[in-house]
Amino acid sequence: MALLKVTNLSKSFGGLRAVSSFNIDIDQGELVGLIGPNGAGKTTAFNLLTGVYDPTEGEIMFDGKSVVGLKPYQITQRGVARTFQNIRLFSELSVLDNVKIAYHFHVKYGLLETVFRLGRYFGEEEDLDKKALRFLEIFQLAHRKDEIAKNLPYGEQRRLEIARALAAQPKLLLLDEPAAGMNPQETQQLMDMIRWIRKEFGLTILLIEHDMSLVMGVCERIYVLDYGSIIAQGTPTEIKNNPRVIEAYLGEEVH
Amino acid sequence: MDSFLQQFYQQLVNGISLGSIYALIALGYTMVYGIIRLINFAHGDIYMLGAYVAFFATTVFKLPFFPALIAAMVVSALVGVTIERFAYRPLRNAPKIAVLITAIGVSLFLEYGGMLAVSPQPRTFPALLPTGIFHIGGVVINSYQIIILAVSLILMAILTYIVHRTKIGKAMRAVSFDNDAARLMGIDVDRVISFTFAIGSALAAAAGVLVGIYYNSIDPLMGIMPGLKAFVAAVLGGIGILPGAMLGGVIMGVVEAMVSGFISSTFRDAAAFGILILILLFRPSGLLGKNVREKV
Amino acid sequence: MTGMRQKTKNDLLMLAAGIVIYAVVQTLISVGFIQDYWERNIVYVCINIILATSLNLINGITGQFSIGHAGFMAVGAYVGAIMTVKFGLPLAGGIVAGALGAAVLGFIIGLPTLRLTGDYLAIATLGLGEIIRITILNIPYVGGASGFMGIPKLTNFTWAFFMMLFVLFFIKNFVNSTHGRACVSIRENEIAAEAMGIDTTKYKVMAFTLGAAFAGVAGALFSHYTYIAHPASFTFMRSFDILTMVVLGGLGSMSGSIVGAIFFTWVSAFFAEWPEWRMVIYSLLLIILMLFRPQGLFGNKELSLKMFGRLTGGERRGTAQGN
């Protein structure tokens, strides 16, 4: 069964149709790429999937249930987590706190337990610390746990953002241009990491990317978006040889 | 004429003249907000300053109305520019809250510094212009109300001309549209901001002088309420939009006059804030504004 | 793990320190060493600390810029006074009722208003604070424009101090929990917070409601100390006062709010004879602070707790707040 099934999704801003008749199907465990030239509507599509925008029309089924009209936090709680194209960390907080916040909706202790430090408070807080630390270890950020997030180098900030999204324990991870601003070596490491987290966490991943080498190298299936509509889909090899894609990317290289 | 309608027209006349005062102050708020996204809390106190400059110009220097009005506008413009230069400009890239708090500080400084300088006692503003009362179908119109409206309209016309027809006006619009792009186009953004403060302060000062003449009493705290209400007027019309400030000002004036006339003058200020809350909740971009959303 | 023991140990140490301070001050009051003027200002310090830390919860921790705190204080002052004067309840009943009244109003106001951000929220809360005041002004049942008179003087140093201690512990524990972190994440990046599954509206309203409730507590303590609740005590000037305390100490820092409140109260008391000079100095202080140290004395750090942690050799966790 498809984990994510999007049918006929459209979004208009005033008279402008940013996304129209957008259809994708992603199965459990897949690693799928969404590519397209600048301004094709990729980020708008992400924002529709995560509830930042309400679609003008169309249906989004996640895990068998419609998520249209839900707020972003509700969609996250259903099991969709994301990163942002322009990194959005909690920049004045420590690396550890950034990850701990992502566990928020899994925490069960209530307000009274908080204020009077009763019941589940201590147990869960300790558990949280441990879990968050383990996560940071996985992402090689443990030695940075007390660092203020905004002081991390760029590559580590990207990594922290992914770690934070994973801490929310999603079924589907949406990555918005994870390689933006990275050099080829960092991109290579990122590819390895994406493959690894998919396997380790049994995740389904949808990623938007500009960097063709990353998409072609890591994705099993690719959708191509142009002028807000899907114009092609297939394996990396199929996409590379698709004349419509080449046309859409006119001027841009497709390796 | 039936007494309800008569009362209604009377309050409409009162409201429009009061509203044109609000509109003059609101223009300054809206221009400053449009350009540097700052609620200049001190703006209402510039209005107070204008009234005092005119007061001293007429009592000490025995100037007649127009020269006193011009003097008030010029002095206030200079003070406005000075405030921007020393209190706001250093904070151009600071968090918004820091600038807002600075503005509150400047406002308190003008109010209480004013008290120290000219005493907290209200002063009687001299009658600078001949009074006359006209009866039109049972509605009483004071000659001051006509003067307020006339001066306001003239000033608004001049402002519209400056903003739309002159080079500096074009620069103001460019900066308000996109600060960085304007800078890249070679516009001296700091100069444009100074100019905006100068014009806004001059308009507020004119409003202060007109109010002094109308109510013939001024005091150092007179700017607080009209300042807040003028800000409400600017939000009502759509902040950053000049015709919006004028429209908002007049609506505020009329609503206030109606509430005073038909309900109770103690609810006058609550009505103003009630409008603010309603507009913020249901149409935060104001009557003439467009909605914008943060890009994700 | 030592986390639990460490936290509890720190709490107990702070509580002990509080009780020692209380015992010393109370003894000095009892033997007549601290008299009227000083005692009054010490009580005001406690009330102002409640006001400042509760506003800090809204403005500093959650990042929602409210400048209408005096309105909630007014509700607490009046509702509390109604309970003791008209219904004959003891002070505790007045405080609870005042807190509840302010909380309910805070919830009703916060729910729609907190959709606004930044300047707009600031000006809306200022407007709402004024609406509350003007409404009270027009209710003859509580004395209208001449104020609510004949309130018994039930507040004393003991009440003020222990209510303050309660509020401080409440806010501290709240901030150092997943709920508090949710609030901080909204301040840091609302869009990211939402994407991390945090119901941002819920937490904004929660912080606002709690802040309002504590302002209500402060209001009830205040009106039962001054014999009278007067609308003129709750203008937006009072809101600015509270804001100044918070900003002075550093937005987001609880210890900052405490220091800010103490400093502000004593400076105000010192200049009470020269009200204009007081305001001029206060305004210059605000401007100079914003120009040269906009983050306040403490930034958003908990300086004292950090030092405290180091002194006791405790493990310093990397949170923005202490523990």
Side-chain angles (χ1 to χ4, degrees), chain B residues 1-289:
Chain B
M1 193 159 61
D2 123 348
S3 75
F4 174 81
L5 270 184
Q6 188 182 331
Q7 168 82 327
F8 177 81
Y9 285 123
Q10 182 65 57
Q11 294 304 346
L12 191 65
V13 168
N14 295 350
I16 288 174
S17 73
L18 179 64
S20 49
I21 302 269
Y22 288 154
L24 282 181
I25 313 174
L27 283 168
Y29 265 120
T30 228
M31 283 192 292
V32 166
Y33 192 91
I35 284 199
I36 55 172
R37 307 273 175 265
L38 159 72
I39 301 178
N40 181 13
F41 268 102
H43 194 60
D45 304 298
I46 295 287
Y47 148 98
M48 173 274 292
L49 182 75
Y52 269 93
V53 173
F55 172 81
F56 288 112
T58 52
T59 53
V60 179
F61 299 100
K62 308 287 180 231
L63 291 183
F65 172 70
F66 268 107
L69 179 68
I70 302 294
M73 290 172 72
V74 169
V75 172
S76 302
L78 290 175
V79 172
V81 170
T82 311
I83 290 172
E84 191 278 324
R85 176 66 189 79
F86 291 102
Y88 303 152
R89 190 175 297 175
L91 293 171
R92 203 55 57 73
N93 297 315
K96 262 176 138 178
I97 285 175
V99 196
L100 197 65
I101 292 168
T102 310
I104 292 173
V106 172
S107 164
L108 295 175
F109 180 74
L110 290 175
E111 285 158 16
Y112 292 89
M115 280 192 180
L116 283 177
V118 300
S119 101
Q121 300 309 320
R123 307 258 185 156
T124 309
F125 205 85
L128 293 177
L129 295 165
T131 31
I133 285 174
F134 308 93
H135 294 268
I136 301 172
V139 174
V140 184
I141 300 178
N142 187 315
S143 63
Y144 289 166
Q145 291 177 321
I146 298 174
I147 290 166
I148 288 178
L149 192 62
V151 173
S152 305
L153 286 176
I154 292 167
L155 290 175
M156 287 180 207
I158 296 174
L159 176 71
T160 312
Y161 176 81
I162 291 175
V163 171
H164 288 277
R165 291 278 183 275
T166 63
K167 208 174 161 194
I168 186 84
K170 216 178 247 178
M172 281 168 69
R173 281 184 290 148
V175 173
S176 136
F177 191 73
D178 188 334
N179 199 322
D180 293 331
R183 195 184 303 272
L184 292 175
M185 290 297 113
I187 292 172
D188 182 347
V189 173
D190 284 337
R191 210 179 115 243
V192 171
I193 293 171
S194 292
F195 186 75
T196 308
F197 270 85
I199 295 188
S201 305
L203 291 177
V209 179
L210 294 174
V211 158
I213 289 175
Y214 188 56
Y215 292 116
N216 67 51
S217 165
I218 58 174
D219 68 85
L221 299 185
M222 67 185 276
I224 299 177
M225 268 299 147
L228 287 176
K229 286 176 190 165
F231 176 74
V232 176
V235 174
L236 176 62
I239 197 138
I241 306 166
L242 297 184
M246 301 179 198
L247 177 70
V250 173
I251 294 176
M252 286 286 295
V254 171
V255 169
E256 234 188 275
M258 293 295 170
V259 170
S260 305
F262 288 100
I263 304 171
S264 154
S265 62
T266 48
F267 278 107
R268 210 176 52 189
D269 297 347
F273 290 117
I275 293 179
L276 172 72
I277 307 300
L278 290 179
I279 196 83
L280 285 179
L281 292 183
F282 296 106
R283 206 177 152 78
S285 50
L287 295 175
L288 305 183

Side-chain angles (χ1 to χ4, degrees), chain A residues 92-121:
Chain A
E92 296 287 338
L93 300 188
S94 70
V95 168
L96 185 66
D97 276 352
N98 264 276
V99 176
K100 275 163 85 175
I101 285 166
Y103 280 106
H104 171 76
F105 68 92
H106 298 287
V107 173
K108 289 185 192 63
Y109 66 80
L111 200 55
L112 280 180
E113 286 164 292
T114 297
V115 171
F116 297 103
R117 299 237 159 128
L118 298 170
R120 292 167 287 190
Y121 174 81

Side-chain angles (χ1 to χ4, degrees), chain A residues 52 71-74 76-77 80-82 84 87-98 100-105 107 109-111 114-117 121-123 125-126 128-130 145-146 148 161 164-165 168, chain C residues 1-5 7-8 11 166 169-170 172-179 181-182 184-189 191-203 206 210 300-301 315-321 323:
Chain A
V52 175
K71 296 233 173 77
Y73 78 90
Q74 291 169 318
T76 307
Q77 295 186 357
V80 182
R82 72 175 289 181
F84 295 90
I87 305 178
R88 284 179 182 273
L89 290 171
F90 304 121
S91 47
E92 296 287 338
L93 300 188
S94 70
V95 168
L96 185 66
D97 276 352
N98 264 276
K100 275 163 85 175
I101 285 166
Y103 280 106
H104 171 76
F105 68 92
V107 173
Y109 66 80
L111 200 55
T114 297
V115 171
F116 297 103
R117 299 237 159 128
Y121 174 81
F122 283 114
E125 277 290 304
E126 255 170 44
L128 210 58
D129 269 344
K130 272 187 222 153
K145 73 183 169 72
D146 293 330
I148 299 300
E161 219 197 8
R164 185 181 68 175
Chain C
M1 277 291 279
T2 54
M4 174 174 174
R5 263 193 293 140
K7 279 185 193 179
T8 316
D11 276 4
F166 170 76
F169 268 89
F170 189 113
K172 177 185 74 71
N173 288 354
F174 177 79
V175 169
N176 288 294
S177 73
T178 194
H179 307 291
R181 283 193 296 269
V184 174
S185 74
I186 296 171
R187 173 189 80 195
E188 289 298 314
N189 194 323
I191 288 167
E194 183 102 354
M196 288 300 111
I198 288 164
D199 184 346
T200 50
T201 310
K202 176 179 142 189
Y203 279 100
M206 189 188 282
L210 286 174
N300 64 1
K301 303 288 187 303
E315 183 195 357
R316 169 69 193 161
R317 289 150 58 257
T319 49
Q321 279 69 39
N323 42 33

Side-chain angles (χ1 to χ4, degrees), chain A residues 8-228:
Chain A
N8 269 324
L9 195 66
S10 300
K11 177 68 186 174
S12 307
F13 295 105
L16 179 81
R17 267 176 108 73
V19 168
S20 63
S21 333
F22 179 82
N23 292 293
I24 54 173
D25 272 275
I26 298 178
D27 284 331
Q28 179 74 46
E30 274 194 299
L31 207 173
V32 180
L34 177 64
I35 62 171
N38 255 334
K42 300 184 299 285
T43 295
T44 306
F46 256 34
N47 285 337
L48 287 168
L49 295 181
T50 49
V52 175
Y53 298 149
D54 277 332
T56 312
E57 55 190 301
E59 181 61 273
I60 305 167
M61 300 290 283
F62 176 72
D63 213 6
K65 282 186 225 131
S66 172
V67 294
V68 172
L70 293 187
K71 296 233 173 77
Y73 78 90
Q74 291 169 318
I75 294 179
T76 307
Q77 295 186 357
R78 292 272 181 96
V80 182
R82 72 175 289 181
T83 64
F84 295 90
Q85 191 176 338
N86 45 342
I87 305 178
R88 284 179 182 273
L89 290 171
F90 304 121
S91 47
E92 296 287 338
L93 300 188
S94 70
V95 168
L96 185 66
D97 276 352
N98 264 276
V99 176
K100 275 163 85 175
I101 285 166
Y103 280 106
H104 171 76
F105 68 92
H106 298 287
V107 173
K108 289 185 192 63
Y109 66 80
L111 200 55
L112 280 180
E113 286 164 292
T114 297
V115 171
F116 297 103
R117 299 237 159 128
L118 298 170
R120 292 167 287 190
Y121 174 81
F122 283 114
E124 283 200 68
E125 277 290 304
E126 255 170 44
D127 200 38
L128 210 58
D129 269 344
K130 272 187 222 153
K131 276 194 201 156
L133 261 177
R134 209 185 54 214
F135 241 95
L136 289 178
E137 271 159 25
I138 294 173
F139 287 89
Q140 295 138 41
L141 287 165
H143 62 293
R144 297 272 201 188
K145 73 183 169 72
D146 293 330
E147 192 78 58
I148 299 300
K150 69 170 181 195
N151 296 340
L152 292 184
Y154 186 81
E156 290 189 355
Q157 289 196 16
R158 282 254 170 240
R159 234 163 48 218
L160 176 58
E161 219 197 8
I162 295 174
R164 185 181 68 175
L166 285 177
Q169 300 163 31
K171 293 173 194 144
L172 173 66
L173 177 66
L174 305 178
L175 300 173
D176 196 347
E177 301 211 10
M182 286 188 174
N183 63 33
Q185 189 206 343
E186 285 171 327
T187 306
Q188 187 56 47
Q189 285 170 356
L190 181 74
M191 278 165 71
D192 294 340
M193 188 174 85
I194 290 173
R195 280 196 207 95
W196 182 81
I197 52 177
R198 196 254 306 241
K199 209 173 90 211
E200 180 75 14
F201 296 95
L203 271 177
T204 311
I205 297 176
L206 172 63
L207 68 90
I208 294 180
E209 195 42 77
H210 250 124
D211 187 316
M212 283 303 147
S213 63
L214 180 102
V215 181
M216 295 298 169
V218 81
C219 296
E220 291 140 1
R221 213 147 58 77
I222 292 170
Y223 284 95
V224 186
L225 194 64
D226 194 24
Y227 292 110

